[in-house]
């Protein structure tokens, strides 16, 4: 395989796909000849089963994986290899696919595809009118009936069982924006202590028995673990005993109240006040959601915290 | 060098080349013949490196010795959403130190998603005598001390744009470091700074820079000081306010209103944190000239938004929160016929229920009413195939379409079907589509449509979609112009990746996280494709301590001519050609 020239990787402006263009025109690079194609001896139909990948992982040792990577000049259709030819889904420019992919195959009616360049859904609005079986209402005047309520239950049946709250980085909103909105919640809360959301998220931290409070910038931490070590360091002068740190690596999971561990086991509990003014146990919700809703924190003596945890869990449950 | 008798003298060619600015054209020129290659490389003044690890600074400098402007990008896009762990990389220091000696006449540095230290900023300020432009987009690693060095030493600075960078605020006095005889500022964007800057220094700076066209303030600049600033800079074209709130007082209002009226050139407004609606009419006098309006931090309700937007007949770009509601978007569609770009952000992204009546209908209205609409970013909670098909038919000129249905796996709310057909319509009708982000319930079918139709697509973002490797295969085998592909939480695994390994060398990068790619496949890919860096990112520990069939956490693959990088943290492993050379 020829080594790509330097100029192919630099000097390319964002808007232009010059990479591919320059490669084709140069004539010096021909990656097609070295195209790697998969050569599976054949397996069950993969398209409808999520489990297929699991089967592969279990059933294909590395030796088999290696044989999958075939360097050849000939283009072998992925479909030929995978499905034994039950459906061709190699879409090449030369036109068409008589793909019968699953039951909805009527979307790819052959007449719309054969060399006419209009593959797939056919041209324009004709498709929608000619396929009433799709069950998609055709918009005449642009007004779409709204009836979200009755469908809520069905929606929850269809959606994946993964807990909605547990996703890092979703919805995809930049930190700057999240922090700006977080520190001054839309409810025009006058209690938010004038921390300017853009770029930092300072919250007060109080500790029962300590003579003064501290402030921490939640943006400096990426997880509960980091936050709790920092707090521990900050408040160690007020507590008795050692301030060890746990070397056990852990993920940002939910309900990971190791904060109690770090703060001398059962003596203290870390709590926070959220946007609604409720006092919650730190650690129940994903880190990002916590930074978004936390207004201030309090390191409480455990003896006072009895009765807090059940409330926090109830609230969490009612939100889900 | 051998020269044909009939070719132009070098000087003439150089002169001709000086009219060619686009990188694509310059690349083409440099491939014509040896002598053109040479002349071109000596005359290239701007370099854009889309992935700072695709090439080393030394190689760039060796090829282009007379560069004046450099643009670099570091972390992958998903770093914006905290998917790339802290410390992954994107350090600009090696570039700065190499350029400090090689490019004494460097004028412009633009960075995106990179880590830059105060030391680098200081080095910049002292190494480049004619330094003019510093743009730091979504960068981090520096503090106001670094900014102070820039202010103090860059006599010819024209543009200082901190984008949405994370800046450690040590002192607001860095602004005072601009010398009294410094007057060349044209564009200043400090909107990302969390704490106050010295206001008097800011005032004096604004007052003595007659060419100032862009001023984006941070939230800490109070509203009652804004009028003063505007009066000192009536020539402003772009303004970002600070916090737009103050006790309602007639004198403050009239000062502000008068100041805005005095800015005859103002075309772009942003900022508007903490808006007190009573002060909004202060901007009414200039609304009709506005081309760009960023209200995405303004927590004002639909009626006020409608009043404002209805007066902006020349608006081309609107960024707004979903408080605008469907009704507001109807008004937008009716008033702003020149609209090119719309972004609607969620006011309550983590709420389980919709908090405002903003649905797919708003987007449909805008797609109907605004014939020039070509760029959309839309967060909502419900969508239908019918709406998407309508949008697609209305707006075949769409070039960027990013839809985020907040709840993953949400189907068409009318039919409960996947949204495959709707997105299929988008890619089929919008033939110039360059960027697409998918969401909602999606099967492999949508990828079939994309592979078939999205021939101009350059960047695709996929989350919680698809059913099997077939989906990924459709993308990689069908999208001829694909440069960046980012995928999270999809059931895509080894087969499609390995079958399309060669495709990856035609792209800038591929990101896959929380998918089903095995460690074994990553190793294979790294071994077979020496032109790629295959990086496994896994905070659980070394992947070779687990079975090879075990899926890895995150995969980042990018083409490079400079081999594996040397600055990887402990949770990143590169699958090198020779396992013995693997560095971690």
């Amino acid at each position: 395989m020829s080594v790509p020239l330097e100029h192919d990787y630099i000097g390319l402006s964002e808007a232009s796909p010059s990479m591919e263009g320059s490669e084709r025109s140069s004539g010096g690079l021909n990656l097609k000849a070295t195209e790697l194609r998969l050569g599976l001896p054949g397996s069950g139909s993969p398209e409808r089963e999520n489990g297929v990948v699991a089967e592969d992982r279990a059933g294909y040792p590395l030796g088999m994986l290696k044989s999958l990577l075939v360097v050849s000049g000939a283009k072998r259709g992925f479909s030929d290899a995978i499905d034994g030819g039950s459906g061709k889904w190699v879409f090449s420019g030369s036109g068409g696919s008589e793909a019968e992919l699953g039951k909805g195959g009527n979307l790819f009616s052959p007449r719309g595809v054969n060399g006419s360049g209009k593959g797939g859904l056919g041209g324009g609005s004709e498709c929608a009118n000619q396929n009433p079986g799709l069950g998609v209402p055709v918009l005449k005047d642009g007004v779409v009936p709204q009836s979200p309520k009755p469908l809520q239950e069905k929606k929850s049946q269809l959606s994946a069982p993964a807990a909605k709250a547990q996703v890092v980085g979703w919805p995809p909103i930049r930190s700057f924006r999240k922090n700006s909105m977080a520190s001054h919640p839309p409810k025009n809360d006058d209690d938010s202590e004038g921390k300017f959301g853009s770029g930092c998220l300072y919250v007060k931290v109080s500790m029962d028995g300590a003579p003064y409070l501290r402030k921490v910038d939640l943006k400096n931490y990426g997880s509960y673990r980091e936050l709790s070590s920092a707090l521990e360091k900050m408040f160690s002068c007020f507590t008795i005993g050692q301030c060890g740190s746990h070397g056990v690596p852990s993920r940002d999971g939910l309900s990971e109240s190791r904060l109690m561990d770090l703060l001398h086991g059962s003596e203290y509990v870390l709590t926070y006040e959220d946007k609604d003014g409720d006092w919650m146990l730190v650690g129940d919700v994903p880190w990002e959601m916590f930074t978004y809703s936390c207004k201030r924190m309090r390191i409480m003596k455990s003896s006072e915290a009895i009765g807090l945890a059940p409330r926090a869990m109830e609230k969490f449950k009612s939100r889900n | 060098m051998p020269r044909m008798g009939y070719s132009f003298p070098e000087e003439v060619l150089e002169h001709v080349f000086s009219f060619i600015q686009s990188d694509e054209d310059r690349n083409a020129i440099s491939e014509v013949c040896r002598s053109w290659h040479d002349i071109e490389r000596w005359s290239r003044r701007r370099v854009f490196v889309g992935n700072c690890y695709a090439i080393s600074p030394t190689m760039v400098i060796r090829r282009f010795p007379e560069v004046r402007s450099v643009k670099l990008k570091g972390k992958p896009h998903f770093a914006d959403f905290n998917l790339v762990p802290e410390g992954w990389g994107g350090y600009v220091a090696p570039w700065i130190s190499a350029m400090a000696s090689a490019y004494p006449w460097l004028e412009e540095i633009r960075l995106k998603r990179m880590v830059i230290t105060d030391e680098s900023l200081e080095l910049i300020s002292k190494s480049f005598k004619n330094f003019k432009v510093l743009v730091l987009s979504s960068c981090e690693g520096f503090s106001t001390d670094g900014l102070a060095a820039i202010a103090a030493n860059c006599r010819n600075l024209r543009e200082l744009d901190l984008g949405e960078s994370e800046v450690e605020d040590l002192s607001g006095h860095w602004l005072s470091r601009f010398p009294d005889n410094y007057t060349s500022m044209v564009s200043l964007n400090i909107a990302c700074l969390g704490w106050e800057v010295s206001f008097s220094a800011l005032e004096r700076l604004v007052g003595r820079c007659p060419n100032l066209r862009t001023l984006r303030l941070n939230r800490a600049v109070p509203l009652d000081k804004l009028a003063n600033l505007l009066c000192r800079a009536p020539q402003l074209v772009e303004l970002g306010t600070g916090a737009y709130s103050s006790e309602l007082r007639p004198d403050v209002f009239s000062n502000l209103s008068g100041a805005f009226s005095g800015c005859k050139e103002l075309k772009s407004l942003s900022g508007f944190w903490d808006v007190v609606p009573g002060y909004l009419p202060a901007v009414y006098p200039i609304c009709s000239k506005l081309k760009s309006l960023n209200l995405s931090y303004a927590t004002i309700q639909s009626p006020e938004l409608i009043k404002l937007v209805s007066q902006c007949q020349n608006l081309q770009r609107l960024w707004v929160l979903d408080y605008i509601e469907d009704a507001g978007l109807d008004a937008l569609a009716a008033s702003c016929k020149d609209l090119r770009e719309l972004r609607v952000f969620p006011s309550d992204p983590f709420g389980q229920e919709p908090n405002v009546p903003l649905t797919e209908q708003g987007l449909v209205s805008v797609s109907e009413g605004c014939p020039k609409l070509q760029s959309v970013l839309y967060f909502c909670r419900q969508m239908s195939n019918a709406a998407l098909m309508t949008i697609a038919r209305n707006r075949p000129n769409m070039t960027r379409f990013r839809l985020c249905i907040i709840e993953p796996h949400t189907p068409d709310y009318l039919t409960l079907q996947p949204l495959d057909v709707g997105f299929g319509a988008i890619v089929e009708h919008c033939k110039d589509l360059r960027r697409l982000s998918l969401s909602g319930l999606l099967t492999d079918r949508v990828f079939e449509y994309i592979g078939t139709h999205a021939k101009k697509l350059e960047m695709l973002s996929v989350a919680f979609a698809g059913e099997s490797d077939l989906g990924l295969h459709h993308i990689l085998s069908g999208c001829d112009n694909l440069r960046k592909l980012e995928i999270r939480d999809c059931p895509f695994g080894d087969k499609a990746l390995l079958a399309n390994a060669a495709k990856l060398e035609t792209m800038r990068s591929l990101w896959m996280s929380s998918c089903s790619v095995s460690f074994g496949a990553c190793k294979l890919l790294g071994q077979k494709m020496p032109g790629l860096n295959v990086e496994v990112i896994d905070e659980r520990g070394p992947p070779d301590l687990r079975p090879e069939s075990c899926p890895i956490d995150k995969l980042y693959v990018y083409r490079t001519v400079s081999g594996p990088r040397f600055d990887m943290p402990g949770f990143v492993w590169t699958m090198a050609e020779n396992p013995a050379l693997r560095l971690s």
Side-chain angles (χ1 to χ4, degrees):
Chain A
M1 176 171 355
S2 54
V3 177
L5 298 178
E6 288 171 29
H7 73 260
D8 295 335
Y9 299 99
I10 51 178
L12 301 172
S13 68
E14 208 168 344
S16 57
S18 50
M19 246 348 284
E20 295 66 43
S22 67
E23 276 183 351
R24 283 192 215 108
S25 62
S26 72
L29 298 166
N30 185 4
L31 292 177
K32 276 208 147 91
T34 55
E35 230 168 13
L36 301 168
R37 279 284 174 254
L38 192 57
L40 258 190
S43 61
S45 162
E47 60 228 277
R48 294 292 175 230
E49 301 159 40
N50 262 335
V52 66
V53 179
E55 286 169 21
D56 283 344
R57 277 192 259 120
Y60 286 80
L62 188 58
M64 183 67 92
L65 263 183
K66 277 193 171 141
S67 73
L68 300 185
L69 209 56
V70 176
V71 181
S72 73
K75 194 169 181 166
R76 280 182 71 181
F78 186 71
S79 60
D80 295 335
I82 286 292
D83 212 45
S86 74
K88 294 193 179 60
W89 49 74
V90 180
F91 289 94
S92 56
S94 59
S97 135
E98 309 89 38
E100 310 127 67
L101 291 148
K103 278 107 192 161
N106 57 343
L107 283 176
F108 284 78
S109 51
R111 65 183 161 80
V113 168
N114 288 332
S116 71
K118 279 191 185 176
L121 301 166
S125 55
E126 307 145 37
C127 180
N129 290 332
Q130 287 164 6
N131 285 288
L134 286 178
V136 175
V138 176
L139 282 183
K140 298 231 162 61
D141 54 3
V143 173
V144 175
Q146 295 182 21
S147 53
K149 284 300 179 193
L151 295 173
Q152 289 293 11
E153 301 98 14
K154 287 190 190 171
K155 180 173 114 164
S156 59
Q157 284 167 20
L158 283 176
S159 54
K164 300 163 213 171
Q166 294 188 24
V167 184
V168 173
W170 190 267
I173 299 170
R174 288 193 182 173
S175 311
F176 181 79
R177 180 169 297 284
K178 266 195 290 208
N179 298 338
S180 292
M181 297 303 295
S183 71
H184 286 253
K187 287 177 191 168
N188 210 13
D189 196 339
D190 290 326
D191 287 342
S192 55
E193 295 117 13
K195 43 185 177 164
F196 304 109
S198 15
C200 59
L201 259 183
Y202 277 95
V203 296
K204 284 185 187 169
V205 186
S206 64
M207 177 165 172
D208 290 355
Y212 49 82
L213 279 60
R214 300 296 303 267
K215 260 195 168 172
V216 290
D217 182 356
L218 290 181
K219 278 189 61 283
N220 284 339
Y221 314 107
S223 67
Y224 286 118
R225 179 164 46 89
E226 286 172 41
L227 172 68
S228 59
S229 330
L231 287 180
E232 181 199 301
K233 288 193 188 96
M234 253 188 199
F235 286 95
S236 58
C237 47
F238 300 123
T239 59
I240 342 155
Q242 77 281 19
C243 301
S245 61
H246 286 223
V248 180
S250 61
R251 303 187 72 116
D252 262 354
L254 300 188
S255 51
E256 208 189 312
S257 302
R258 298 174 61 249
L259 303 147
M260 292 192 283
D261 296 344
L262 286 177
L263 294 172
H264 314 296
S266 49
E267 212 183 332
Y268 288 99
V269 166
L270 185 57
T271 63
Y272 71 102
E273 185 185 7
D274 73 359
K275 289 198 296 184
D276 299 332
D278 296 322
W279 283 93
M280 318 281 293
L281 191 66
V282 169
D284 284 337
V285 300
W287 173 254
E288 283 171 13
M289 191 183 284
F290 166 71
T291 59
Y292 183 77
S293 50
C294 170
K295 278 174 42 187
R296 66 169 74 96
M297 286 189 279
R298 177 178 162 200
I299 303 174
M300 233 185 232
K301 280 200 151 64
S302 299
S303 47
E304 287 197 36
I306 294 172
L308 173 70
R311 263 203 301 133
M313 285 313 294
E314 270 168 34
K315 180 164 182 177
F316 182 65
K317 282 177 192 149
S318 74
R319 281 208 171 140
N320 287 285
Chain B
M1 93 187 77
R3 191 185 298 179
M4 310 266 196
Y6 51 81
S7 77
F8 289 124
E10 262 186 55
E11 298 76 22
V12 176
L13 279 174
E14 227 181 287
H15 184 67
V16 171
F17 291 174
S18 68
F19 293 101
I20 317 279
Q21 300 296 335
S22 110
D23 290 328
E24 203 180 334
D25 292 339
R26 281 196 160 256
N27 288 349
I29 287 176
S30 65
E31 289 173 40
V32 167
C33 63
R34 249 284 143 215
S35 68
W36 280 39
H37 184 275
D38 258 357
I39 298 167
E40 193 283 316
R41 68 179 263 264
W42 280 95
S43 65
R44 194 177 302 213
R45 299 282 174 263
R46 305 181 158 271
V47 168
F48 167 63
V49 182
N51 174 4
C52 64
Y53 291 119
I55 190 165
S56 72
T58 319
M59 286 163 142
V60 175
I61 291 168
R62 194 168 59 218
R63 167 118 187 245
F64 300 116
E66 296 281 344
V67 162
R68 300 274 186 273
S69 162
V70 169
K71 180 169 179 179
L72 303 172
K73 292 191 178 180
K75 301 183 206 172
H77 174 239
F78 273 176
D80 285 354
F81 316 127
N82 295 340
L83 288 178
V84 177
E86 198 72 30
W88 171 84
Y91 303 106
V92 80
W95 290 85
I96 305 295
S97 45
M99 294 192 299
S101 38
Y103 293 153
W105 299 111
L106 190 69
E107 295 176 5
E108 306 181 350
I109 293 177
R110 293 180 170 84
L111 307 177
K112 188 164 186 180
R113 283 188 214 102
M114 295 198 77
V115 180
I116 180 166
T117 59
D118 288 342
E119 287 72 32
S120 288
L121 284 171
E122 191 161 343
L123 191 56
I124 289 173
S125 76
K126 300 209 165 119
S127 311
F128 310 118
K129 298 291 169 243
N130 205 20
F131 195 66
K132 295 192 172 118
V133 171
L134 182 64
V135 176
L136 302 174
S137 243
S138 302
C139 294
E140 54 169 352
F142 63 105
S143 77
T144 43
D145 285 354
L147 298 179
I150 296 284
N153 300 316
C154 299
R155 300 295 160 123
N156 295 309
L157 192 70
R158 304 240 175 98
E159 186 173 338
L160 178 61
D161 182 342
L162 301 181
E164 288 182 356
S165 299
E166 285 182 26
V167 186
E168 198 186 347
D169 254 310
L170 297 177
S171 150
H173 290 288
W174 65 273
L175 254 188
S176 325
R177 303 296 304 280
F178 282 107
D180 290 336
N181 60 359
Y182 166 80
T183 58
S184 27
M185 189 67 85
V186 173
S187 169
L188 179 64
N189 178 359
I190 54 168
C192 67
L193 296 183
W195 296 104
E196 287 175 7
V197 292
S198 155
F199 188 75
S200 55
L202 178 62
E203 252 186 342
R204 279 180 282 122
L205 182 66
V206 168
R208 68 177 185 270
C209 293
N211 299 319
L212 191 67
R213 290 171 82 251
T214 299
L215 180 63
R216 307 267 189 210
L217 304 168
N218 61 338
R219 198 171 188 169
V221 175
L223 187 59
D224 50 11
K225 300 250 170 85
L226 184 58
N228 227 333
L229 274 178
L230 288 181
C231 289
R232 286 172 195 237
Q235 77 283 2
L236 276 182
V237 176
E238 301 182 323
L239 171 72
T241 73
Y244 205 77
S245 70
S246 178
E247 265 175 40
L248 277 174
R249 281 164 37 201
D251 54 330
V252 175
F253 181 89
S254 62
N255 282 345
L256 192 59
S257 182
F260 271 118
S261 307
C263 294
K264 309 277 184 214
E265 310 294 324
L266 214 44
K267 299 214 169 41
S268 164
L269 278 184
S270 63
F272 293 105
W273 285 284
D274 319 310
V275 177
V276 163
Y279 276 108
L280 275 178
V283 305
Y284 288 174
I286 50 150
C287 277
S288 59
K289 295 203 202 121
L290 285 182
K291 294 211 170 137
S292 168
L293 187 52
N294 182 352
L295 294 168
S296 63
Y297 298 104
T299 53
I300 41 178
Q301 304 303 313
S302 185
E304 281 101 21
L305 284 166
I306 292 177
K307 261 186 261 171
L308 188 54
V309 154
S310 310
Q311 300 182 59
C312 302
Q313 298 88 2
N314 288 309
L315 204 60
Q316 294 183 4
R317 177 194 304 159
L318 177 67
W319 292 21
V320 73
L321 285 169
D322 57 9
Y323 289 133
I324 194 168
E325 301 180 10
D326 287 341
L329 291 176
D330 287 340
L332 181 71
S335 315
C336 306
K337 295 305 186 183
D338 208 24
L339 196 72
R340 321 274 165 106
E341 176 180 331
L342 173 67
R343 296 195 190 190
V344 179
F345 296 94
S347 52
D348 187 19
F350 297 117
Q352 300 297 329
E353 299 297 321
N355 59 325
V356 285
L358 179 113
T359 68
E360 80 285 2
Q361 186 50 47
L363 186 56
V364 171
S365 295
V366 180
S367 77
E368 272 163 8
C370 303
K372 296 196 191 162
L373 185 71
Q374 59 186 39
S375 173
V376 167
L377 170 61
Y378 199 76
F379 283 82
C380 60
R381 286 192 156 84
Q382 68 182 44
M383 186 50 62
S384 67
N385 283 310
L388 283 171
M389 287 164 82
T390 303
I391 293 163
R393 284 197 293 270
N394 286 340
R395 294 276 62 80
N397 52 328
M398 191 78 73
T399 55
R400 290 181 198 82
F401 190 76
R402 292 192 277 164
L403 180 67
C404 179
I405 304 165
I406 289 178
E407 185 64 35
H409 306 115
T410 303
D412 177 329
Y413 76 98
L414 295 169
T415 65
L416 301 185
Q417 295 298 304
L419 290 168
D420 301 334
V421 175
F423 279 106
I426 295 281
V427 292
E428 199 206 342
H429 290 276
C430 308
K431 302 208 189 300
D432 289 324
L433 195 70
R434 293 202 304 268
R435 185 166 180 185
L436 178 65
S437 298
L438 307 172
S439 58
L441 182 67
L442 296 165
T443 70
D444 285 344
R445 168 148 298 148
V446 72
F447 300 111
E448 193 184 337
Y449 296 149
I450 292 172
T452 307
H453 294 286
K455 293 308 184 186
K456 297 265 180 75
L457 193 66
E458 295 176 10
M459 181 168 178
L460 179 64
S461 307
V462 186
F464 305 103
E467 303 159 293
S468 75
D469 271 46
L470 196 48
L472 180 56
H473 176 71
H474 283 311
I475 302 170
L476 291 176
S477 58
C479 297
D480 298 334
N481 279 304
L482 195 64
R483 290 189 299 121
K484 288 179 279 186
L485 178 59
E486 47 186 23
I487 301 172
R488 62 163 297 176
D489 294 277
C490 297
F492 299 150
D494 303 339
K495 289 201 288 281
L497 193 60
L498 294 174
N500 293 283
K503 170 75 174 176
L504 299 179
E505 262 194 1
T506 69
M507 293 164 51
R508 181 187 296 173
S509 65
L510 165 70
W511 169 277
M512 289 179 74
S513 58
S514 305
C515 297
S516 311
V517 179
S518 74
F519 181 53
C522 293
K523 285 206 298 190
L524 249 188
L525 191 62
Q527 284 158 18
K528 295 292 180 188
M529 306 291 297
L532 297 177
N533 271 358
V534 178
E535 292 188 8
V536 170
I537 302 166
D538 210 321
E539 291 178 284
R540 294 173 294 179
D544 46 16
L545 297 184
R546 290 182 288 279
E548 287 214 347
S549 54
C550 210
I552 51 146
D553 187 20
K554 297 168 182 169
L555 173 68
Y556 186 47
V557 180
Y558 54 90
R559 66 182 173 190
T560 179
V561 290
S562 51
R565 57 186 176 111
F566 299 105
D567 59 359
M568 289 179 298
F571 51 83
V572 178
W573 292 266
T574 190
M575 311 288 109
E577 219 175 322
N578 180 352
L581 290 176
R582 198 184 316 156
L583 302 156
S584 58

